[in-house]
Amino acid sequence: AQQLVESGGGSVQAGGSLRLSCVASIWVDGRRCITWFRQAPGKEREAVATIGQAADSTVYADSVKGRFTISQDNAKNTVYLQMNSLKPEDTAMYYCAARNRPSCGTYWHARIYYPVWGQGTQVTVSS
């Protein structure tokens, strides 16, 4: 069974909003950190935002600061990515990934450290 399942992608116009969800069926005791990555065609996969066991353990990429918000509902084992003021350059496949530690730490942006990935959800922003 898939251990991370993303949903919520879609097509929106620039300036619009979407909320992505990542439901985790792994490490449900909460000792995990989850990071959203994205990959546009022809580009490297890049880290967008991360959240750890503590609700205030969030970090964002500079490109999304002030526009995206990562949060979690532990009762639902779900991590959200609220995306506002979307731009065409936000168009990408979005993935959530998990590590078995309370915080993803200094190297939260390094995909090599994530053993568990979801299948992705597509976000398309038109101008």
Side-chain angles (χ1 to χ4, degrees):
Q2 196 76 20
Q3 295 173 316
L4 296 175
V5 179
E6 303 97 331
S7 63
S11 297
V12 295
Q13 290 191 324
S17 298
L18 284 172
R19 189 178 78 158
L20 306 183
S21 298
C22 172
V23 179
S25 59
I26 190 171
W27 305 317
V28 294
D29 60 357
R31 185 175 171 80
R32 64 168 181 253
C33 60
I34 289 183
T35 298
W36 284 98
F37 288 79
R38 67 185 181 186
Q39 187 167 19
K43 294 190 176 181
E44 293 286 318
R45 191 170 297 189
E46 62 173 352
V48 174
T50 189
I51 189 165
Q53 192 169 8
D56 60 353
S57 60
T58 58
V59 184
Y60 297 90
D62 288 345
S63 58
V64 305
K65 276 181 185 176
R67 300 189 298 122
F68 290 12
T69 303
I70 190 170
S71 63
Q72 61 190 346
D73 183 335
N74 291 327
K76 296 182 178 180
N77 293 315
T78 301
V79 171
Y80 302 101
L81 186 68
Q82 178 67 44
M83 306 186 296
N84 298 328
S85 303
L86 282 162
K87 304 175 181 180
E89 51 263 44
D90 295 317
T91 295
M93 184 72 81
Y94 283 70
Y95 301 88
C96 61
R99 295 180 66 183
N100 187 202
R101 53 182 294 171
S103 171
C104 286
T106 303
Y107 298 101
W108 69 277
H109 57 281
R111 60 182 189 263
I112 192 173
Y113 293 117
Y114 293 84
V116 181
W117 291 80
Q119 82 288 349
T121 186
Q122 178 68 38
V123 172
T124 302
V125 185
S126 57
S127 58

